[in-house]
Amino acid sequence: AEADQTSLHEKVKAKQEAKKKADVPLGMLKADGTSKRFYKSAGISEILENDPRSGALRRVWAMTLDGRMVRTPANKLLALPTKEMAMAVALEFDVQDAHILPYTMPLTTLATTAIDQMSRPDVRAHAVRGMLRHLAHDLVCLRSAEPEDLVERESAVWGAVCDWAARAYGCSVRTTNEWLQFDQDEALTAAVEADLRGRHDWRLAAIDQVAGSTGSLLVSLAMAHGALNGPAAFEAARLPEDYQVSRWGKVETCGVGGHDLDASDMR
């Protein structure tokens, strides 16, 4: 009986390995966008898989290309927790033209980061430490001394974010118009760290990505808590640039970047 169980286990494992080989590996895509499109259509498939932490079966939605499952760069199944997320990732693949441009696929990047990186305890810890460093130079805490209309605008928009953080974490948020970097209160840092460490891999990856693109961990956390929606977070993050545009005009994209390209990337 024991020999039969071993044989069955080996057969199951061999079948799983064969299936993996039939899947599409994302690791083959070139970051510079020179990889040619090799599929006709992208789709999703509802499946059951083992949760990597609890081992319990869970329902997820896997990305497919021409009906074949997709593997992340770390050879894990590209499966998303909600149908809506899976459809959004599939759409990023569907709209690719003759070549696949990874830098135009932010949700795919977010998904592979959550699956391959945030699932590792050492990477999670490193990511949390990196996000906490944002507090020392968080965008909404570094204020202007002049002109008056900009100071008022920052006080209204950024002040609302700081006020939310003070209420949410029970600690005052320090701001300055003299330094480019300074330490926040230890109690605030500890409260934010506890919040980050308690987050699911997917949410932590999203908070990290938004903090990096906006320059503000507090804006990112406000979004995660539902205190800011996307447009409001965009307004807060773009406040300095939008103020300059209102005074001096917009620098259009001219092959080397511009205000319109910066805004598009952040969106």
Side-chain angles (χ1 to χ4, degrees):
E2 185 176 342
D4 290 341
Q5 287 183 347
T6 301
S7 177
L8 178 61
H9 177 73
E10 291 176 348
K11 288 180 180 179
V12 171
K13 187 176 181 180
K15 187 176 181 179
Q16 291 174 339
E17 291 300 319
K19 190 175 183 303
K20 279 186 181 181
K21 292 181 180 179
D23 294 341
V24 179
L26 287 186
M28 69 179 183
L29 298 181
K30 297 179 180 178
D32 61 3
T34 56
S35 297
K36 293 183 178 180
R37 177 167 175 160
F38 57 88
Y39 54 89
K40 292 182 179 179
S41 63
I44 62 174
S45 177
E46 186 178 3
I47 64 171
L48 292 174
E49 73 165 12
N50 291 321
D51 186 288
R53 296 190 183 277
S54 67
L57 280 177
R58 62 177 181 177
R59 193 177 305 277
V60 295
W61 282 261
M63 243 282 298
T64 62
L65 294 175
D66 294 337
R68 298 165 61 193
M69 299 291 186
V70 178
R71 294 273 163 184
T72 67
N75 202 32
K76 297 180 180 179
L77 194 65
L78 181 55
L80 297 101
T82 69
K83 182 178 181 180
E84 291 75 15
M85 290 177 65
M87 291 176 66
V89 170
L91 181 61
E92 288 188 338
F93 279 87
D94 243 354
V95 299
Q96 298 300 309
D97 201 358
H99 290 82
I100 302 172
L101 310 178
Y103 48 84
T104 66
M105 307 166 78
L107 293 178
T108 302
T109 300
L110 176 63
T112 56
T113 299
I115 295 170
D116 288 351
Q117 302 298 322
M118 292 303 180
S119 59
R120 295 173 46 189
D122 60 324
V123 175
R124 275 183 64 92
H126 179 75
V128 169
R129 289 194 298 270
M131 282 184 272
L132 289 175
R133 284 195 289 271
H134 274 288
L135 287 178
H137 51 84
D138 197 288
L139 175 70
V140 301
C141 298
L142 303 180
R143 306 294 178 82
S144 301
E146 57 181 18
E148 184 177 350
D149 57 341
L150 177 58
V151 172
E152 292 176 352
R153 183 66 178 155
E154 289 176 353
S155 179
V157 177
W158 290 353
V161 177
C162 292
D163 290 344
W164 165 82
R167 294 191 303 271
Y169 297 112
C171 312
S172 62
V173 178
R174 297 173 180 171
T175 63
T176 181
N177 59 13
E178 298 179 349
W179 309 102
L180 294 178
Q181 182 168 320
F182 64 103
D183 292 331
Q184 288 288 352
D185 188 87
E186 290 184 2
L188 176 65
T189 302
V192 170
E193 181 176 6
D195 185 6
L196 294 173
R197 291 190 182 280
R199 294 285 177 169
H200 185 278
D201 294 343
W202 287 87
R203 289 191 179 276
L204 189 62
I207 291 170
D208 190 20
Q209 190 173 76
V210 174
S213 63
T214 62
S216 173
L217 177 59
L218 295 182
V219 165
S220 185
L221 286 168
M223 282 191 70
H225 281 269
L228 283 182
N229 58 23
F234 180 80
E235 178 189 8
R238 289 282 305 173
L239 193 154
E241 288 79 7
D242 288 345
Y243 177 80
Q244 294 300 325
V245 168
S246 70
R247 293 196 66 181
W248 311 109
K250 180 185 291 187
V251 177
E252 300 289 349
T253 301
C254 55
V256 294
H259 289 120
D260 53 342
L261 182 58
D262 290 343
S264 178
D265 285 345
M266 187 177 294
R267 280 196 175 95

